[in-house]
Amino acid sequence: MSRLPSFLAQTTFHKGIILPSLLFIFFVTFVSSFFPDSTASILGQIQDWIFINLNWVYVWSVTLFVFFLLALVVSKYGSITLGDDDAVPEYSFLSWISMLFAAGMGIGLMYFSVSEPLAHFSDPTFAEYSEIKRAKDAQLYTFFHWGIHAWAIYGVVGLSLAYFTYRYKLPLSLRSCFYPILKNRINGVAGNVIDSFALCSTFFGITTTLGFGVIQLNAGLVQLGLIPEKGFSYQVVIVMAIMAISILSATSGVNKGVKFLSQLNILSAVLLMLFILISGPTVFLLGSLSEGVGDYLNQFLSLTFNTHAYEPSVQPWYFRWTILYWAWWISWSPYVGLFIAQISKGRTIREFIIAVLLIPTAFNFLWMTVFGNSATWLDRNVANGSLTAIVSKTDELLFQFLNYFPASGITSSLAVFLIFVFFVTSADSGIFVMNSISTSNAACSPKWQLVAWGILLALVALVLLNAGGLQSLQTMTLITALPFSIVMLLFCYSLFQGLLVDSYYYSKAFSPSARNWSGEFWKQRLQRILSFKDQAYVETFIQQTVEPALQELASEFNSKRISTAVHKKENPMEIALTIEHESIENFTYGVRTQLKTISTSLVAEKNIPGVRGTQSYIPETFFGDNRPGYNIEYFTEKEVIADVLKQYERFLELSSEIKNEIFTDTTLRRKE
């Protein structure tokens, strides 16, 4: 017992987030477990009222998300890096795409790829249409639900988080996206409420997905003959296996477990898809893909804005599918957005948006065409309606579909493996994200916290599976999507305000009086221009020109009671003058030895003397706010002093403006 206090003292949980979140999670689990029918009835009535009367909120929100991101792609802000200007991506492009895709929609593709197109195709709402039109519309609606709109929802949250985290050095937390609105209040109760909402939404989203997915896995194992029947005892074993591997993956870190499983999953999914494409009606599938994409593009605006207000007979289907999908994607967006942001440092805004919107969408279209159109083709030409007859049995439908292809035992085994690993990748990244939220993005947390989240997920999923409370939990999650859609609109506003400040801050010019060189030393400058320097030359310049200038300035600052210090490093040499502050950013002006590669064409040019090889060195400035530096090799000692002063003047002017607090206020910075 004596070890317990020290054990708990090691936790990085934020009490203002973890305590209310756990209380709410336990309360909802209790109500859904002990009163499943009455809870489901009440929540179902609330959901129906929202979907019928406030469906336009979802429609307009998702529409604004799409056009907001598209506008950023073509704007000048698209070139802004999610991080410092010289930041590079932490993951390769393939690893990045694999992780964001597996976390975002992987399991849904297995669950709905056959069932959704068949459901649209056989829905009585469209019974009066011809068979061909119903098949085409089934593909169109599936594309719509799994296309750009869905990924725009994830993209808004992920981009906002990545921008404020890596560009402004704020914590990787939903509260950070509200800084332009709330300022310092994001560190108080308001910020805790925002993060608690995100934590509960993530937990419930993963729990319901885990619960319903286990039922499909159970059906797949029965189909393979590995277990005799569907039952709770078998589902317990499945949940335990999933969470054990998920915990192991999460505790090994994003760079190892999550990354490896995501890449393995994508490769396995592509193999299964190619098998269905080759062994199925290949020509028809490729042709229908082309038609489906064209149909989607032609009707993009109509689908986006259509609420079927003039078609009351279609509206129940519309609420049951489109509005439910928008609510489901929004409810999942805190989790997926946080994970996407975590892996997107170093990407530009344009690269982020294009990749997040188009690449998963393109893969979804191909996947849904191969599986969905194969299913409708088989149902019309081979199965004689036997697939649509069991369309309500979603957990069995995929495996019945695979029975119409060669080597159904192998493909069903691969499908079970894919579902299993998709669950693991969703769960392990979810564990990672939940720990990040609950600790307010602590730099290093004990691994037992990740284990605790995994165990809690498994226990709640099993309790609700046994009590029949999963439907209530899913409905409640969908209801919470309505207020969060408004929160996401505020994200867009905050992000735009941040980009405006970003553009102003980095384009701020120097005072005109200090902008140009004097012509007094033009001969010496010409001599320097015509010479290419080695490392020793630049280090001598720093020692004999820059260092005396900075020391003289520091002495003058200190004489005026402004505490200033000059710091020097070797190998490679750099020197910096720093004025430290408590509540605003430190002012730093430094010069370092920087290697510069010279083009071979310049080396070969005979009319430019002094070029010796393809490498040269320059004295380059650097600053405390990580702005790009510049070459000062032609400056005299007094001009170095003047350059420092104009940078200091710029620093004071920017720090005095309220709208720049997001850059200059250090009390909000996350600890690296």
Side-chain angles (χ1 to χ4, degrees):
M1 293 295 295
S2 60
R3 295 184 179 181
L4 183 60
S6 61
F7 177 75
L8 294 176
Q10 296 175 6
T11 182
T12 56
F13 286 137
H14 189 295
K15 292 181 180 179
I17 300 172
I18 190 67
L19 293 179
S21 298
L22 288 178
L23 288 174
F24 186 68
I25 288 171
F26 292 144
F27 171 76
V28 170
T29 302
F30 175 82
V31 173
S32 300
S33 300
F34 286 92
F35 311 99
D37 295 333
S38 56
T39 303
S41 176
I42 294 171
L43 292 177
Q45 292 176 23
I46 296 173
Q47 177 186 293
D48 291 342
W49 187 89
I50 290 174
F51 281 11
I52 292 171
N53 296 282
L54 298 176
N55 63 84
W56 56 272
V57 176
Y58 294 105
V59 172
W60 275 101
S61 297
V62 174
T63 300
L64 288 171
F65 300 153
V66 171
F67 287 101
F68 175 71
L69 293 180
L70 293 178
L72 289 182
V73 169
V74 299
S75 72
K76 64 180 181 179
Y77 306 117
S79 59
I80 292 176
T81 303
L82 298 175
D84 298 334
D85 287 340
D86 59 352
V88 296
E90 294 184 68
Y91 305 100
S92 69
F93 189 76
L94 179 60
S95 297
W96 179 51
I97 292 298
S98 298
M99 286 190 286
L100 73 87
F101 182 77
M105 287 186 180
I107 190 60
L109 293 181
M110 299 299 297
Y111 199 76
F112 290 104
S113 58
V114 173
S115 64
E116 182 176 347
L118 282 175
H120 297 322
F121 175 71
S122 61
D123 197 298
T125 304
F126 310 112
E128 63 184 45
Y129 296 164
S130 69
E131 188 179 72
I132 299 301
K133 179 170 174 54
R134 284 188 288 118
K136 285 186 174 181
D137 285 350
Q139 181 186 37
L140 175 64
Y141 297 139
T142 305
F143 278 12
F144 179 46
H145 296 151
W146 291 80
I148 289 175
H149 295 73
W151 282 95
I153 294 170
Y154 291 161
V156 163
V157 179
L159 179 61
S160 299
L161 283 163
Y163 178 75
F164 286 104
T165 298
Y166 302 125
R167 190 71 174 175
Y168 289 161
K169 306 298 188 295
L170 297 175
L172 181 60
S173 169
L174 289 180
R175 70 175 71 198
S176 298
C177 301
F178 282 92
Y179 179 79
I181 299 174
L182 297 177
K183 301 293 176 121
N184 291 335
R185 285 174 291 171
I186 65 172
N187 286 331
V189 175
N192 292 341
V193 171
I194 294 167
D195 284 342
S196 297
F197 179 88
L199 180 58
C200 293
S201 177
T202 299
F203 184 89
F204 290 141
I206 297 173
T207 302
T208 51
T209 302
L210 179 64
F212 287 122
V214 164
I215 298 173
Q216 188 185 31
L217 269 176
N218 196 172
L221 293 173
V222 171
Q223 174 75 18
L224 294 173
L226 297 177
I227 57 176
E229 61 183 0
K230 292 189 289 184
F232 180 69
S233 58
Y234 297 108
Q235 292 165 3
V236 171
V237 176
I238 295 171
V239 169
M240 291 296 101
I242 289 173
M243 295 316 300
I245 298 175
S246 298
I247 290 170
L248 180 63
S249 174
T251 53
S252 66
V254 174
N255 286 321
K256 296 179 181 178
V258 178
K259 177 181 174 181
F260 171 75
L261 286 175
S262 298
Q263 292 176 335
L264 174 64
N265 225 12
I266 294 300
L267 179 60
S268 302
V270 169
L271 289 175
L272 179 60
M273 181 181 65
L274 290 177
F275 176 80
I276 300 299
L277 176 63
I278 294 170
S279 60
T282 308
V283 175
F284 166 74
L285 293 177
L286 294 176
S288 64
L289 173 64
S290 178
E291 286 193 30
V293 172
D295 202 16
Y296 174 78
L297 294 175
N298 284 332
Q299 300 194 50
F300 185 84
L301 292 178
S302 176
L303 290 168
T304 299
F305 292 97
N306 193 358
T307 60
H308 299 279
Y310 296 98
E311 303 170 287
S313 62
V314 179
Q315 284 194 322
W317 168 88
Y318 177 67
F319 300 148
R320 191 170 66 251
W321 284 100
T322 302
I323 298 302
L324 185 141
Y325 260 123
W326 289 175
W328 189 244
W329 298 146
I330 290 171
S331 69
W332 265 72
S333 62
Y335 153 55
V336 181
L338 277 161
F339 185 74
I340 293 175
Q342 189 119 30
I343 61 176
S344 298
K345 182 178 182 180
R347 306 284 172 184
T348 65
I349 289 178
R350 184 173 293 111
E351 180 184 14
F352 178 96
I353 295 173
I354 291 175
V356 169
L357 291 189
L358 298 186
I359 293 180
T361 294
F363 185 87
N364 286 356
F365 285 2
L366 180 58
W367 180 276
M368 290 298 190
T369 297
V370 170
F371 284 84
N373 283 12
S374 291
T376 56
W377 185 89
L378 286 170
D379 195 67
R380 290 185 292 120
N381 298 284
V382 179
N384 297 319
S386 61
L387 287 175
T388 53
I390 60 169
V391 72
S392 60
K393 299 179 180 179
T394 307
D395 54 330
E396 300 177 12
L397 191 55
L398 173 64
F399 303 103
Q400 294 297 328
F401 163 78
L402 292 175
N403 284 338
Y404 288 92
F405 291 86
S408 60
I410 296 175
T411 55
S412 294
S413 299
L414 182 57
V416 168
F417 171 77
L418 275 169
I419 295 169
F420 184 85
V421 180
F422 268 130
F423 271 122
V424 171
T425 55
S426 294
D428 62 10
S429 54
I431 290 170
F432 200 80
V433 167
M434 286 189 295
N435 189 67
S436 177
I437 299 173
S438 60
T439 61
S440 195
N441 196 39
C444 184
S445 297
K447 291 186 177 182
W448 71 261
Q449 293 181 189
L450 299 172
V451 175
W453 281 118
I455 293 174
L456 186 60
L457 275 175
L459 290 177
V460 171
L462 289 174
V463 167
L464 293 174
L465 264 173
N466 188 46
L470 279 174
Q471 186 61 53
S472 300
L473 191 60
Q474 183 186 44
T475 304
M476 191 206 65
T477 304
L478 295 173
I479 291 172
T480 61
L482 180 70
F484 195 70
S485 64
I486 307 302
V487 170
M488 290 177 62
L489 290 174
L490 294 175
F491 280 4
C492 295
Y493 172 79
S494 293
L495 178 58
F496 184 66
Q497 291 299 313
L499 291 170
L500 289 177
V501 174
D502 197 319
S503 177
Y504 171 80
Y505 186 88
Y506 283 101
S507 63
K508 177 71 175 179
F510 299 131
S511 300
S513 60
R515 187 175 298 162
N516 300 316
W517 276 344
S518 165
E520 183 179 357
F521 304 102
W522 70 270
K523 289 185 179 181
Q524 293 91 324
R525 286 208 177 93
L526 176 60
Q527 181 61 37
R528 292 183 183 178
I529 290 173
L530 294 177
S531 62
F532 289 79
K533 294 83 182 172
D534 57 17
Q535 186 171 356
Y537 181 95
V538 173
E539 290 179 350
T540 300
F541 172 79
I542 291 175
Q543 291 174 330
Q544 296 183 356
T545 302
V546 178
E547 185 173 3
L550 298 187
Q551 292 289 1
E552 185 176 351
L553 261 177
S555 176
E556 187 65 22
F557 273 120
N558 285 317
S559 70
K560 298 183 181 300
R561 297 183 179 179
I562 300 175
S563 180
T564 308
V566 175
H567 306 282
K568 188 176 180 181
K569 295 181 181 179
E570 306 288 342
N571 299 320
M573 182 176 289
E574 68 175 50
I575 190 168
L577 178 145
T578 300
I579 301 175
E580 294 187 356
H581 304 107
E582 294 183 1
S583 58
I584 63 172
E585 183 65 73
N586 293 338
F587 171 77
T588 298
Y589 179 103
V591 180
R592 61 166 63 102
T593 305
Q594 183 65 45
L595 177 65
K596 178 181 178 183
T597 302
I598 303 171
S599 68
T600 54
S601 58
L602 184 63
V603 173
E605 175 57 54
K606 296 181 179 180
N607 199 32
I608 300 180
V611 181
R612 298 290 184 270
T614 59
Q615 290 187 337
S616 181
Y617 289 83
I618 60 171
E620 186 177 75
T621 59
F622 62 90
F623 307 100
D625 57 6
N626 297 306
R627 284 180 296 117
Y630 46 85
N631 183 5
I632 64 165
E633 63 182 324
Y634 311 125
F635 282 25
T636 64
E637 184 177 327
K638 292 187 179 299
E639 287 168 343
V640 171
I641 293 175
D643 196 50
V644 177
L645 290 178
K646 66 182 181 181
Q647 290 288 355
Y648 187 60
E649 178 197 25
R650 175 184 183 276
F651 169 82
L652 292 179
E653 184 176 348
L654 287 169
S655 299
S656 67
E657 298 183 26
I658 295 177
K659 63 182 178 180
N660 292 325
E661 284 180 347
I662 195 167
F663 275 103
T664 59
D665 189 345
T666 58
T667 61
L668 301 172
R669 298 298 172 91
R670 62 190 175 97
K671 296 180 180 179
E672 298 289 350

